[in-house]
Amino acid sequence: MSPRSLRGRVAIVGIGETAYYKHGRSPDAEFKLAVKAILAACEDAGIHPRDIDGFASFSDDRSDATRLAAALGIRRLRSATMQWGGGGGGCCAAVANGAAAIESGMAECVVAFRSLAQGQYGRFGRTTGIEQISGERAYLMPYGVLAPPQRFAMRIRRFMHDHGIGQSALRAIAMASYHHAQANPRAVMHGRPLDTKTYDESRWIVEPLHLYDCCMENDGAAAVVMVPAERARDARQTPAYLLGAASGSGYRAGAHPHNAPDYASASFKTVAPDLFAMAQVAPSEVGVVQSYENFTGGVLMALIEHGLFGAEEANEVLQLDNLLAPHGRLPLNTSGGNLAECYMHGFELVLEAVRQVRGTSTSQAVRNQVALVIGGPMVSPVSSLLLGQESVL
């Protein structure tokens, strides 16, 4: 193993989350949500909050590390990192950055987290009330391409056209998330199952995306506690070891406006090989996947770019039975994911991967030794994470 690898060096020993709400419905301020999730993660880990000495987040989280340190009574803050990029492209990178701080000796106990209260600060992806535009939006909004579904649908449609992939593949992804949410009382869509007829008859948002192909907007917070591997062996909970992590993007992936050479891509073609190389596992060894769904088409592309199956197999593999725990070929988004559990910019997916490795998910997969988390696709930079049991090391 390379001395510059994170494989087996750091473990997640605690997970915590608040209740999840529809956007704007949280009774608590964003900072309070963050503190609640961190305290829950510390309780899960059996670690006193004062033992935390580092924080890591992404997507410009507003809960400042120094303010968190003061609120939690932390004696000494040693590391505070923020992953560049909006949305959920950095949800896995936040964990990786915290783990890197531990492995480098810059921290001993790091919390990675995400908090969101849109009633306090406004809806995250809003397209109204904007006085100035710049960057990619300056090329798109004057022509009526306002919202993320419109921007990403063009990439998805191109990919589906190029590879002959049908609408049924997107439907299966959506229905798998909703199916698993029915077993998860934490899920916002718990008690609201989705069937084929309801999906097919739902309104188009922008083709090929129906209503149920699009993520929710939610309030809440989620957090994980990480420590060095040698300390994890004495943890209260079964550790989930970091096997591999990678972030970044390919050549000119962020070229504006929609001018990337590899247009129909989720941006993982250079990231996924680094992930599996560090983890020293093959895609075939992945037993369960938590994949960020801003839109189901991004999941489709991301799964293929991580080598879980080929584009020519997509119509065959992406059928509902294959995506369901416990025995499906590739159990997917087993807590409900961004579509049906909560859209915490993908960070809730990390917590579900930990539960899978522990064996405590509400939709437990039989093959749970290696769990893959895929961050927000079709943006730049993106990130991915592989977690595993001690037996894999």
Side-chain angles (χ1 to χ4, degrees), residues 232-290:
R233 296 187 181 94
D234 299 322
R236 175 182 291 176
Q237 303 287 354
T238 301
Y241 290 90
L242 186 67
L243 302 179
S247 64
S249 58
Y251 174 66
R252 289 181 57 80
H256 297 319
H258 283 236
N259 201 31
D262 191 7
Y263 182 69
S265 172
S267 299
F268 289 102
K269 290 183 179 178
T270 59
V271 173
D274 287 345
L275 174 75
F276 286 105
M278 179 184 290
Q280 298 181 27
V281 300
S284 60
E285 296 177 75
V286 172
V288 61
V289 180
Q290 314 303 326

Side-chain angles (χ1 to χ4, degrees), residues 40 141 339:
M141 293 185 76
L339 296 183

Side-chain angles (χ1 to χ4, degrees), residues 1-9 103 243 274 277-280:
M1 182 172 64
S2 168
R4 296 172 62 192
S5 173
L6 289 172
R7 184 180 190 273
R9 307 283 176 82
E103 175 58 18
L243 302 179
D274 287 345
M278 179 184 290
Q280 298 181 27

Side-chain angles (χ1 to χ4, degrees), residues 148-150 152-154 156-157 160 167 170 199 202-214 294-298:
Q150 295 170 304
F152 293 129
M154 293 187 287
I156 295 165
R157 176 58 87 194
M160 294 173 71
Q167 191 73 33
L170 304 191
Y199 173 92
S202 65
R203 69 183 185 270
W204 290 109
I205 301 304
V206 53
E207 293 185 33
L209 305 174
H210 281 279
L211 172 66
Y212 293 101
D213 291 304
C214 303
N294 42 9
F295 310 104
T296 53

Side-chain angles (χ1 to χ4, degrees), residues 21 114-115 185 240 339:
Y21 308 91
R114 182 71 173 119
S115 56
L339 296 183

Side-chain angles (χ1 to χ4, degrees), residues 180-203:
H180 291 131
Q182 305 319 303
N184 176 12
R186 301 180 309 275
V188 174
M189 291 298 176
H190 179 70
R192 299 181 62 182
L194 177 64
D195 58 31
T196 299
K197 183 174 185 291
T198 302
Y199 173 92
D200 288 343
E201 294 182 356
S202 65
R203 69 183 185 270

